[in-house]
Structure formats: structure tokens, C-alpha cells
Amino acid sequence: MFPLQRGRRLRTNESIRSLVRETIVTPQDFMFPMFIAEGTNVQEAIPSMPGMFRRSVDLTVKEVKELYAVGIRAVNIYVKVSNHLKDNAGTEAWNPNGLMQTAIKAIKDACPDMIVMPDVALDPYSIYGHDGIIENGVVVNDPTVDALMKMSVSHAEAGADFVAPSDMMDGRILRMREALDQSGFTNVGIMSYSAKYASAFYGPFRDALDSAPRADVEIPKDKKTYQMDYANRIEAVKEALYDVEEGADILMVKPGMAYLDIVREVKDAVNVPVAVYQVSGEYAMVKAASERGWLDHDQIMMEQLTCIKRAGASIISTYFAKEAAILLNK
């Protein structure tokens, strides 16, 4: 008689396991982060992120078409801005002919059904590498929000489907929503980085965009005055609820694997989709370990992506997106 319930019956073979599998990952779950550089026919490898590149707009468009062909339906785009265009106010961020605006237009012209979510933050445009404007050695909130409003409207004018503020300034979602609506862009959504932690996992990303805070001037040496303390959990839920009240359509938790408890907490607290960013450091660790033969690359890649979705993610922003989609399509 013992035991009546045998869990192993449902694990007997792959056919049974696939029949009762609770979490299914598909290419449509993925969003691919892309780095865009000035020039034409430019493809620069990012040494700390094997397999990732900074591409000029023309090669970005080519890559977007390939992504769409394997089932990926969203890209999150970032630009590497020339140093001579940087200032403290980030004014290049709302240049209608800027690199970001040009890239948005080119992607939407070439692949209209690809969802384009440009990053909204001042760090690529800042001479100081911070997400906001510096005054008296401090990253100031409200003047930065004013700049982010202009940036968001500029992205919408270029054709963005969503804007994706990653800056963590207070109150910016409400002001951006108002600015978009007043400019006639009521259908342009906002994917808010609601719980973006001050994490050491971002190192390779900052290499890709040259956006780390400068150490040679009297400014904050890190982003801890606006990004969240990684020791905190309740604060993430509070920030998520604020952003939903202010008009966010999608919430983002960043980083990914080390923060899956936060993903579940946020998912349980809100009634909007939750996205997760599996960040550059998490990607680089898998690449490095698999190159040394310490991990099976494809198995650990798919395990991590499945765990992110299992935790509650509706969207997974990951540098593995193309590789994983090709594997899934097989």
C-alpha cells in the first residue's frame, strides 16, 4: 500500500515529462538587447561578452531581420555615443537625427512588426557616465526627469513602440506618461525598470557602452544613490506599485538570476506583465565557464531561461535570445 502517490510516475520518460511540464519557454518570450555604434558596416566585438557586438545601424537592421526570422519579436536598443556629443545635460538624447532616433526609424522601416524598446537614461550621453544630471556633485532628480521626458517623446516620434526608462529617478513614469500623452503618443507604452539594483553584474555592459561613472572627478563613484540596494526586497514591491500607479505598462526587474525572489514578489503584487533582464555579467559567466568546459553551455542557458520564466517573467531580456531561439526551433 505504501506509497499511494509516486511522483516518479510523472518523470518516467521525456514524453511524460513534456506532457506535464509546467513552464514552457518559446522564442516569443525573448527580447534581445542590442548595442548600436556610429558608422557604416561596423561590427565591433565586445571582449567581455563573447558573441555580442556593437553594430552600426545598417548591420543592426540586418541582425533584426534574422532575429525576427527565428521568432524573436522585441529588441531593447542601446547606443554608444561619441564622446564629443556628451555633456552633463544629455542633450544629444533628444536629437531627432541622433543615433538612437536613426536606429529606431531604420528598424521599424525594415521590420515593422518588431517591437522596439529603446533605453531611456542619460548615462550614454553624460560626460560623467551617470543616469542623471550632476549639480554640486549630486545626481539631481527633477531636472533629470525633465530630460527623460524630452528623450521619451523623441523616441516616440522616431517610431518606438515602448520607451524603457532604466534610470531609477523618482516620479519619472508619471511625467513621461503625461509627456507622451500630451504629444499624441497615447499608444506608446512604457516598460519601467522598476526594480533595478546597484549590481556588480553590469560590468561588461558598461564596457560595451563606455558608460561607467568617471573616477577622475568629484562625483558619486557609483549609482547607489538611485539604483536599489541589493539587500532590499520590500522596497522593490513598493517601487513596482508606484510605477503601476504612475502608468507603467510593463515592469522590469534587473538583474535576473540572483533576483528571482524579487521577480516572484513583484509578479504577485501587480497586474501588469513583468520583464526580467538577464544582464551582461550573468551572460559572461556562463560563456566563460562553458569555454573552460566547466558547464554545458546549452543546458545551463536553457535551465536559466526556464527558471526566469518559472519565477514569473512574461518577457526575458537576454543576450542568449538568438542562440536560445535557434535551439528551441530545432
Side-chain angles (χ1 to χ4, degrees), residues 8 22 43 53 66-67 82 97 104 108 112 133 142 149 151 205 207 238 240 250 262 269 304 330:
R8 291 183 57 187
E22 299 173 31
Q43 179 165 288
F53 302 89
E66 293 181 12
L67 294 170
S82 298
N97 299 310
I104 295 168
K108 294 302 292 185
I133 296 168
D142 295 1
M149 292 164 60
M151 191 176 180
F205 176 95
D207 290 343
K238 179 183 71 174
I250 301 170
I262 306 301
Q304 289 193 346
K330 291 180 180 179

Side-chain angles (χ1 to χ4, degrees), residues 37-305:
E38 298 278 3
T40 302
N41 198 33
V42 173
Q43 179 165 288
E44 303 168 339
I46 302 169
S48 55
M49 300 177 68
M52 292 298 296
F53 302 89
R54 287 184 293 266
R55 295 182 175 91
S56 52
V57 172
D58 56 322
L59 296 188
T60 296
V61 167
K62 180 181 177 182
E63 180 71 2
V64 165
K65 291 179 179 179
E66 293 181 12
L67 294 170
Y68 194 84
V70 297
I72 294 168
R73 295 294 180 261
V75 291
N76 188 203
I77 58 176
Y78 302 83
V79 293
K80 187 178 188 302
V81 178
S82 298
N83 287 334
H84 74 277
L85 296 174
K86 297 182 180 183
D87 59 25
N88 184 31
T91 50
E92 178 64 16
W94 52 91
N95 176 0
N97 299 310
L99 181 58
M100 178 66 88
Q101 290 77 2
T102 301
I104 295 168
K105 292 173 185 175
I107 293 171
K108 294 302 292 185
D109 285 345
C111 193
D113 291 332
M114 180 65 83
I115 302 302
V116 179
M117 299 192 185
D119 179 58
V120 178
L122 295 187
D123 50 332
Y125 305 90
S126 168
I127 55 174
Y128 299 118
H130 271 287
D131 291 41
I133 296 168
I134 302 288
E135 292 181 5
N136 300 317
V138 176
V139 178
V140 292
N141 193 93
D142 295 1
T144 297
V145 171
D146 290 340
L148 298 175
M149 292 164 60
K150 297 175 187 176
M151 191 176 180
S152 297
V153 172
S154 178
H155 290 178
E157 289 172 342
D161 299 284
F162 285 76
V163 293
S166 62
D167 56 286
M168 290 297 289
M169 297 298 123
D170 292 333
R172 89 272 204 216
I173 301 302
L174 177 60
R175 297 291 301 279
M176 289 167 62
R177 184 71 269 161
E178 291 174 343
L180 289 167
D181 289 353
Q182 290 167 7
S183 300
F185 296 110
T186 55
N187 289 329
V188 173
I190 298 176
M191 181 181 70
S192 172
Y193 288 60
S194 296
K196 181 178 180 180
Y197 284 85
S199 170
F201 283 108
Y202 303 148
F205 176 95
R206 291 173 181 166
D207 290 343
L209 292 185
D210 187 25
S211 61
R214 286 173 55 181
D216 61 338
V217 291
E218 290 300 319
I219 59 170
K221 299 301 186 290
D222 54 43
K223 302 188 177 186
K224 293 180 180 180
T225 64
Y226 45 98
Q227 294 178 359
M228 285 179 48
D229 185 341
Y230 60 73
N232 292 356
R233 175 180 59 86
I234 296 172
E235 183 183 10
V237 176
K238 179 183 71 174
E239 292 283 354
L241 292 173
Y242 285 163
D243 284 357
V244 172
E245 290 173 0
E246 292 180 16
D249 302 283
I250 301 170
L251 305 184
M252 172 76 85
V253 175
K254 180 180 181 182
M257 288 303 300
Y259 295 80
L260 295 188
D261 60 320
I262 306 301
V263 176
R264 175 46 57 186
E265 293 269 6
V266 170
K267 180 70 172 180
D268 289 344
V270 301
N271 58 359
V272 300
V274 175
V276 173
Y277 200 144
Q278 187 183 34
V279 298
S280 58
E282 297 172 300
Y283 171 85
M285 289 192 301
V286 173
K287 289 294 184 182
S290 61
E291 285 173 0
R292 288 161 176 77
W294 297 343
L295 293 174
D296 183 297
H297 178 277
D298 289 353
Q299 288 193 25
I300 199 70
M301 172 180 71
M302 293 312 304
E303 181 177 341
Q304 289 193 346
L305 295 172

